[in-house]
Structure formats: C-alpha cells, structure tokens
C-alpha cells in the first residue's frame, strides 16, 4: 500500500481513506478485470464456453499482471460472481449437473488464465534477452538430456500462443462432451 501511495503521489494514510486494506485493493482489481469481460450472447453451452475463454484471455492480456489478482482472490468478488452466475446458468439450461457445470466453467477460465501467464512469462524472457542483447538458448542443446521433450517440441520450436490456446481449449471442450456425455 505504501508503494502504491508513493506511486500515486499521496500518503499511505490518504490511500487508506479510500481503500481499507491490501485485500480490498486486490478485490477491487479483480472486480475491475471481471467487469471488463463481456459475456457471450449465445446460450448454447459449447460456443458459450469457447467465447467465454477467448474473452477472458483477451481481457487478461489487455491488463498485464491481472491474472495474479484473479488467482489470489479467485472468482469470489461481486463482478467475478456475475460472470460465474451467468455461465452456470447457461450450463444448467443445457442440462449439466452442478458439478459438471462448475468444472466446465472453471476449466475454461483456468485454461485462459494459465495461457496468459505463459504468454506474459515468455514476453518478459524475450524482453530480458533483447535488453541484454543476448541470443535465445539453443533448444536442442538445452533439451538434449530430455529426448522426449525435445521430440515433442522439435528442433525449431517457436511458441504459437494463439494456436496453443485454441488447441487446449478444444481439448477441454471435447473432453467435457466426452466425460459428461453432452452433445
């Protein structure tokens, strides 16, 4: 709180007049993120989950570091609960049982936030390499002791975050259809 107050050019006491605690500040940040998530219009569960995950990712990418707030607080703030409530309603209407509905919604949101964390970490690594004027590590050399990982990644592995996100999302939603026998 002192660092934030200093950054804002006010005293910590003045900041505490508006925000009572660090926890309250984190919850406000989480609410700010959640209220920027536009809920998909469709009420069909499968396209709804695709659109929800893409929207969560879009919002989180537009606000670097935001996933840390969501992870710290969870989806328990008023604005986050609005997203969850609407999403569970779509799943309920589609005939999901409560556990399946919750696991499906949580699964796609977790996938979106996980992928954003990876993207932000990769960006930080690239920026650090550029700042140091260094070359990226030689992947085949680094992974030589890990032949299965090298096999999976290939010699010229370049991370395509968009592709990885969409592929992972498809795996999750196809898994939901299979596990919960939903068409």
């Amino acid at each position: 709180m002192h660092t934030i107050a200093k950054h804002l050019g006010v005293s910590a006491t003045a900041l505490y007049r508006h925000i009572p605690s660090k926890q309250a500040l984190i919850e406000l940040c989480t609410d700010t993120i959640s209220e920027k998530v536009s809920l998909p219009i469709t009420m069909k569960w499968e396209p709804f989950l695709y659109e929800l995950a893409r929207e969560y990712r879009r919002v989180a990418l537009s606000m670097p570091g935001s996933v840390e707030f969501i992870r710290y607080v969870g989806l328990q703030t008023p604005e986050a609960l609005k997203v969850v409530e609407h999403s569970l309603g779509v799943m309920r209407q589609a005939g999901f049982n409560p556990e399946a509905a919750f696991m499906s919604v949580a699964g796609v949101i977790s996938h979106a936030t996980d992928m954003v964390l990876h993207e932000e970490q990769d960006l930080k690594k690239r920026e650090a390499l550029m700042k140091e004027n260094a070359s990226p590590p030689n992947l085949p050399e680094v992974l030589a002791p890990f032949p299965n990982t090298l096999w999976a990644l290939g010699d010229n592995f370049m991370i395509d975050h968009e592709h990885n996100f969409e592929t992972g999302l498809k795996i999750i939603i196809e898994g939901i259809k299979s596990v919960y026998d939903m068409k």
Side-chain angles (χ1 to χ4, degrees):
M1 293 294 279
H2 290 280
T3 304
I4 293 169
K6 184 178 178 182
H7 180 73
L8 294 173
V10 298
S11 70
T13 306
L15 185 58
Y16 276 112
R17 281 189 213 124
H18 300 282
I19 302 169
S21 66
K22 177 183 171 185
Q23 181 68 24
L25 178 62
I26 292 170
E27 289 172 6
L28 284 170
C29 291
T30 302
D31 259 357
T32 298
I33 297 159
S34 296
E35 71 186 0
K36 292 184 183 298
V37 173
S38 296
L39 291 170
I41 296 170
T42 183
M43 293 301 282
K44 293 180 181 176
W45 77 267
E46 189 175 344
F48 179 88
L49 289 181
Y50 274 105
E51 291 177 36
L52 178 66
R54 290 175 183 138
E55 178 64 4
Y56 239 96
R57 178 174 177 256
R58 183 194 68 74
V59 169
L61 284 171
S62 75
M63 303 172 78
S66 61
V67 171
E68 294 175 35
F69 295 114
I70 295 168
R71 291 284 169 91
Y72 185 84
V73 174
L75 298 173
Q76 301 173 16
T77 63
E79 291 299 323
L81 284 169
K82 288 178 185 176
V83 173
V84 171
E85 174 68 15
H86 181 78
S87 301
L88 291 176
V90 170
M91 304 306 282
R92 183 179 189 183
Q93 180 181 332
F96 280 75
N97 67 49
E99 178 187 354
F102 180 79
M103 292 303 296
S104 299
V105 171
V108 298
I109 292 173
S110 291
H111 175 64
T113 55
D114 284 347
M115 293 304 295
V116 168
L117 282 177
H118 290 296
E119 290 181 66
E120 289 178 348
Q121 289 169 353
D122 286 350
L123 180 61
K124 286 177 186 175
K125 288 176 190 172
R126 278 194 298 274
E127 288 172 348
L129 287 172
M130 289 175 66
K131 189 176 182 179
E132 297 169 6
N133 231 0
S135 301
N138 180 329
L139 194 60
E141 186 179 299
V142 171
L143 295 177
F146 310 99
N148 294 322
T149 304
L150 182 58
W151 165 78
L153 299 181
D155 289 343
N156 298 314
F157 181 74
M158 290 296 293
I159 296 173
D160 180 345
H161 293 290
E162 184 71 28
H163 174 76
N164 289 355
F165 172 75
E166 289 294 329
T167 301
L169 187 55
K170 184 175 182 179
I171 290 168
I172 291 167
I173 292 176
E174 291 301 316
I176 291 167
K177 290 192 310 195
S178 175
V179 169
Y180 298 113
D181 197 27
M182 300 301 289
K183 304 293 180 224

